[in-house]
Structures are given as structure tokens and as C-alpha cells.
Amino acid sequence: MKFATLPDDGKDGRLLLVSRDLSRAVEAAPIARTLLDAIERWPDVAPALQARYDDLNGGRVHEARVFDPGVCAAPLPRSPQWCDGSAFLNHGRLMEQAFNTPPIPEFDTVPVMYQGASDDFLGPSSDVPLPDEADGIDFEGEFGVVVDRVPMGVAAADAMKHIRLLVQINDWSLRAFGPREMNTGFGFLQAKPSTAFAPVAITPDELGHDWRDGRVHLSLQIEWNGKHFGQPHGREMNFGFGELIAHAARTRSLAAGSILGSGTVSNADRGAGSACIAERRVIEMIDAGEARTGFMRFGDRVRMAARDEAGRAPFGAIDQRVVRAPSRAERGNGA
């Protein structure tokens, strides 16, 4: 099944079922009003949602409408929890090499993960308001999963059974804050503004053979200001999503609707390009002795679409513009 969310007066939007080819959509109510509601009641509502989805694809839903991804919110406009890993070890090793830092302990055997803010996710076409270009504005292309309730201490193999949906992510970063926040030992806060999502969340079966071993086997194609930037592939994920879920649930349960990210998609082959500016910059430092690519400026756009070998984009695309956030004075009342 494929799902999207329309913004409304509520905090969680209105759930849509979207046709397999992303051309048509229909509201999922009264089966489930929101995606969070559907995830929390999955065993009860999934059969009816599947039947409705089958009817939509079969042309048997008369109230179906043209699907417009440009008006969508994030599939989950907010979530009980957002945990992001660094499961593509090539990315971390490049950072270590460029900055001559000691290796992260047990990097090859224990996933690295931080807990991000999950109260205000961005839709696929939303402008991204940020305060200052000097903060080092960067995009990060990733894949992610949405789980139902996961018990504490779950094994990696059993964790796979709790994956309900797959998502495509742009985990926005402000690189100037990163080193200071990492050095505190408390993790990211200001370095991680609101995360963005492609318009469509999908059940794993929609990918067929492109979902295996707990990995999304798609190429994440990225354009910056209309120019090709990279097309790294999800197959080189060193820790699968089952392992990431098990790591996050080692000492606590995970609420239904929690999202876990893969971290920046990164390939050993330099020809694949990169999924973030920071990685391109460290490659330039390694190869040429200095970083030559700057970070994003206000007015810049980034587009991301994961594609299969036939060129289909099952999640749709993220296409966003960075804009200057209003200052405190412009917002008024000292807020």
C-alpha cells in the first residue's frame, strides 16, 4: 500500500491512499483518519485499507481524485520518536580520514544513532526556513522505516516484523553547529532542524525484490539547483533496519509510529556521488587538500527521488527551497 497525508486543521493531517503509479488518491477515512492512527491500530485496519487500495488500483473507487504531491504534508507530520543512524559506514570513514579523527569505538559492530526532534516534520515541497547561511546549510538523503510498537530487547530478526512502512528522508543539517554539539557528548540539537519526507510512505511489499536484507535497494538521485549531485545506492547499508531497530530498542520499547533513519546514503564508488554536501567536501579535502564546494544559500533548491532500475520513483520526490527565516523583530512581539 501507499499512503500520503493532506494538511488540515489537526496536528496529524488527513490520510490518503495513493495508487501504485502515484496518479490517483482517495481518503482513507473512516477506516483510519490519520497515518498515526493506522499504525497504532494496524492489525485491525490493514485488511480494510488493503481492500480499499486494491479497489483504487483497479479503478473501482469513484471518488478518487488526481494525486498532487505538491500539497502533501510529511506522511507523518509528527511522530512519537525519530531516531537516525549512521548505517553507511563509508560516510563515517570518509569523515575520519578527512579530519584525521580517531575511529568511533565499535563503529563496525554497534550502530551509531542519535535521537532527533519529531514534533515538526516538513512536507516534500515545503520551503525550509533557516536563520543564517553561515550555519552551513546541508541536505542529507536517507531511507527510513516506520514501526509499530516494538518491545524492549527485540532481536534484529524479530525487529523486521515490526516494520510497517518505508519512507524517503531529507535530514536537513546545519554543519557549523555539529562539531560543538558532538563534543559536548549530548548529541545534536541546533545542528538538526526539521526533517523532511517524500510525499508517499509505502509498505515494504511495494518494492518487491528491491526490499531485502532489511535494506532499500534503490538509487537515491539528487539534484542541487537543477544539476546532478549524486545517485548513491541503498544496497551498501552496513547495518540493516532490523539491526537499527534492535539497537534503538535495546533498553526500552518503541512506540507505534516511531521512525528510524539509515543515515546518509553513501557508496564506496566515488562515481556514485554523494547524498550530502559535507561528504563531497571531505572527498575534496582528501583528493585536493581543500574543500571547494560551499554549503547551500537562501534560494537554493534540492530535489531527491529514489528510483528503481526502470526509473520509477515509488516514494515520489522531495523538492525543496531554502529560505531565510524571519528574524525575531520581523515576527513581532519579541517571540
Side-chain angles (χ1 to χ4, degrees):
M1 288 180 280
K2 296 192 175 187
F3 298 96
T5 293
L6 288 178
D8 63 8
D9 294 335
K11 295 179 179 179
D12 298 303
R14 233 165 48 243
L15 182 60
L16 298 178
L17 280 161
V18 182
S19 63
R20 185 167 286 113
D21 64 0
L22 307 187
S23 68
R24 307 284 287 172
V26 66
E27 296 207 20
I31 304 168
R33 175 168 171 76
T34 71
L35 187 53
L36 184 58
D37 174 40
I39 296 295
E40 291 175 335
R41 299 190 297 121
W42 193 260
D44 298 326
V45 302
L49 288 170
Q50 183 68 58
R52 182 78 158 157
Y53 180 67
D54 292 341
D55 285 343
L56 176 64
N57 285 304
R60 298 184 294 274
V61 178
H62 299 300
E63 63 270 34
R65 68 187 74 168
V66 174
F67 177 57
D68 181 2
V71 300
C72 288
L76 282 168
R78 59 176 183 157
S79 166
Q81 185 165 213
W82 155 234
C83 294
D84 197 21
S86 183
F88 290 86
L89 301 191
N90 181 70
H91 179 74
R93 289 175 178 141
L94 284 170
M95 298 294 179
E96 292 171 357
Q97 184 179 352
F99 296 105
N100 195 28
T101 56
I104 297 173
E106 302 178 301
F107 192 46
D108 292 344
T109 57
V110 179
V112 175
M113 186 174 289
Y114 77 92
Q115 187 178 45
S118 60
D119 59 319
D120 184 30
F121 293 140
L122 297 175
S125 302
S126 300
D127 282 348
V128 184
L130 295 170
D132 195 334
E133 291 178 345
D135 292 338
I137 302 168
D138 198 358
F139 49 82
E140 287 192 57
E142 308 187 11
F143 298 112
V145 297
V146 183
V147 298
D148 60 14
R149 187 183 183 280
V150 179
M152 181 174 67
V154 68
D158 293 331
M160 293 290 294
K161 303 172 187 175
H162 294 278
I163 296 173
R164 293 298 173 222
L165 298 170
L166 309 178
V167 290
Q168 179 193 310
I169 299 167
N170 183 0
D171 182 37
W172 287 98
S173 292
L174 299 176
R175 299 297 186 182
F177 293 111
R180 177 180 60 81
E181 292 190 330
M182 286 188 288
N183 287 336
T184 67
F186 277 81
F188 296 123
L189 180 65
Q190 293 173 343
K192 291 293 184 179
S194 296
T195 302
F197 290 78
V200 179
I202 67 177
T203 50
D205 61 288
E206 290 290 331
L207 289 189
H209 190 60
D210 290 332
W211 169 250
R212 60 186 187 275
D213 305 322
R215 293 160 175 82
V216 176
H217 287 251
L218 298 177
S219 172
L220 186 55
Q221 300 184 12
I222 299 170
E223 296 177 359
W224 179 10
N225 290 333
K227 296 181 179 179
H228 176 75
F229 190 85
Q231 69 283 341
H233 201 279
R235 60 175 167 253
E236 291 187 27
M237 191 175 168
N238 296 79
F239 297 103
F241 278 109
E243 294 166 285
L244 294 184
I245 296 166
H247 177 77
R250 176 68 178 84
T251 59
R252 56 179 170 164
S253 62
L254 306 180
S258 294
I259 305 172
L260 292 95
S262 66
T264 307
V265 181
S266 180
N267 293 170
D269 177 11
R270 299 276 182 88
S274 299
C276 71
I277 300 170
E279 182 172 294
R280 175 179 281 190
R281 284 170 58 87
V282 301
I283 290 172
E284 291 170 345
M285 292 171 66
I286 293 166
D287 292 349
E290 63 178 354
R292 297 172 177 173
T293 301
F295 291 110
M296 298 185 80
R297 307 291 298 271
F298 295 144
D300 282 6
R301 301 194 71 93
V302 63
R303 179 180 175 85
M304 301 180 179
R307 296 189 181 276
D308 61 18
E309 291 184 355
R312 294 179 292 254
F315 302 99
I318 299 172
D319 191 346
Q320 294 182 286
R321 181 182 59 151
V322 176
V323 299
R324 184 178 68 85
S327 67
R328 184 178 299 177
E330 290 169 331
R331 292 195 301 269
N333 300 321

